[in-house]
Amino acid sequence: ETGVTQSPTHLIKTRGQQVTLRCSSQSGHNTVSWYQQALGQGPQFIFQYYREEENGRGNFPPRFSGLQFPNYSSELNVNALELDDSALYLCASSLAGRDGEQYFGPGTRLTVT
Amino acid sequence: AQSVTQLDSHVSVSEGTPVLLRCNYSSSYSPSLFWYVQHPNKGLQLLLKYTSAATLVKGINGFEAEFKKSETSFHLTKPSAHMSDAAEYFCVVSDAYSGGYQKVTFGTGTKLQVIP
């Protein structure tokens, strides 16, 4: 059973640029959720994808967007980066219809300068 | 409305003494509840979960939690702290909606310090 993987591990971008983060789900999982964890805070829910469609979204602006592919892997795209976007971005996979148990990847540390 | 309150941002215990991390939740439905642990510069690891079965849930590394509906609490305990338990702990509530959507809210976290 393969765990959740994320790439890249670390990333440095400049304000105004765009970034794409990637996530591979755990084998057999059909749902992917993305979280933003700022330093010293708990993870904040960005959005969730199920069957290649966004089916839930947190309080994040439209410049945060995503994709889910037929193999259930996923991308998080952030446009027009702001300094406050600096954070650890976590991807979690799960099986829809179950109890909400999520398996987390190690995260991508994004620094915006 | 769904929310989670972790009552202590920091807890400090001596090695070998009991651990208590407190969590209160609010949910409009019958939620699932989780505790996750995050060691420095690491991802999140599931400690234990409650999903409407037994109210006393046992997890990994000797941790357990008791679901108390009347108190809307899900406190995490361990009889004897170990140095390796030093980490940040997150209480999480999850509600299932139609269409496969699972609404999840994290608490703000409790940093556990273990003193030798």
Side-chain angles (χ1 to χ4, degrees):
Chain A
E1 189 174 83
T2 316
V4 179
T5 60
Q6 292 185 244
S7 63
T9 307
H10 295 87
L11 202 53
I12 300 174
K13 289 285 190 178
T14 303
R15 190 171 47 184
Q17 287 187 314
Q18 178 265 343
V19 69
T20 297
L21 311 181
R22 294 179 175 83
C23 171
S24 291
S25 302
Q26 176 147 324
S27 176
H29 284 181
N30 55 15
T31 301
V32 174
S33 301
W34 285 91
Y35 294 84
Q36 180 194 66
Q37 185 177 20
L39 204 59
Q41 297 184 24
Q44 299 293 312
F45 174 69
I46 303 175
F47 44 55
Q48 182 179 98
Y49 276 80
Y50 171 60
R51 292 184 175 175
E52 302 176 51
E53 298 220 352
E54 182 183 300
N55 72 343
R57 190 176 185 94
N59 191 25
F60 280 81
R63 60 189 184 84
F64 285 78
S65 64
L67 285 172
Q68 186 183 33
F69 301 100
N71 66 354
Y72 304 128
S73 66
S74 177
E75 286 182 355
L76 164 66
N77 300 290
V78 187
N79 293 321
L81 283 167
E82 301 176 0
L83 296 178
D84 283 350
D85 296 332
S86 295
L88 181 68
Y89 288 84
L90 295 163
C91 165
S93 75
S94 57
L95 196 55
R98 289 286 297 275
D99 51 25
E101 179 178 342
Q102 297 183 311
Y103 292 76
F104 284 84
T108 294
R109 173 73 63 186
L110 173 65
T111 302
V112 182
T113 62
Chain B
Q2 184 187 77
S3 68
V4 178
T5 302
Q6 291 187 242
L7 297 160
D8 307 290
S9 58
H10 288 83
V11 169
S12 184
V13 301
S14 297
E15 190 177 17
T17 64
V19 175
L20 170 64
L21 306 183
R22 299 182 293 166
C23 172
N24 286 105
Y25 72 93
S26 173
S27 170
S28 304
Y29 304 98
S30 296
S32 297
L33 293 159
F34 305 84
W35 276 98
Y36 286 87
V37 61
Q38 187 176 36
H39 287 91
N41 300 314
K42 300 281 189 183
L44 290 153
Q45 180 185 18
L46 179 68
L47 273 180
L48 49 79
K49 65 179 180 181
Y50 166 78
T51 56
S52 77
T55 56
L56 183 61
V57 181
K58 293 189 184 299
I60 62 171
N61 301 334
F63 285 94
E64 61 182 39
E66 186 171 9
F67 174 71
K68 292 187 177 180
K69 188 173 181 179
S70 60
E71 299 176 10
T72 60
S73 70
F74 190 57
H75 301 334
L76 181 70
T77 61
K78 183 174 181 178
S80 176
H82 191 272
M83 293 300 296
S84 61
D85 295 328
E88 186 143 28
Y89 292 78
F90 293 97
C91 181
V92 178
V93 62
S94 176
D95 289 304
Y97 289 76
S98 61
Y101 175 48
Q102 203 84 25
K103 181 176 170 63
V104 175
T105 300
F106 274 72
T108 50
T110 298
K111 195 159 288 186
L112 176 65
Q113 180 186 22
V114 182
I115 302 167

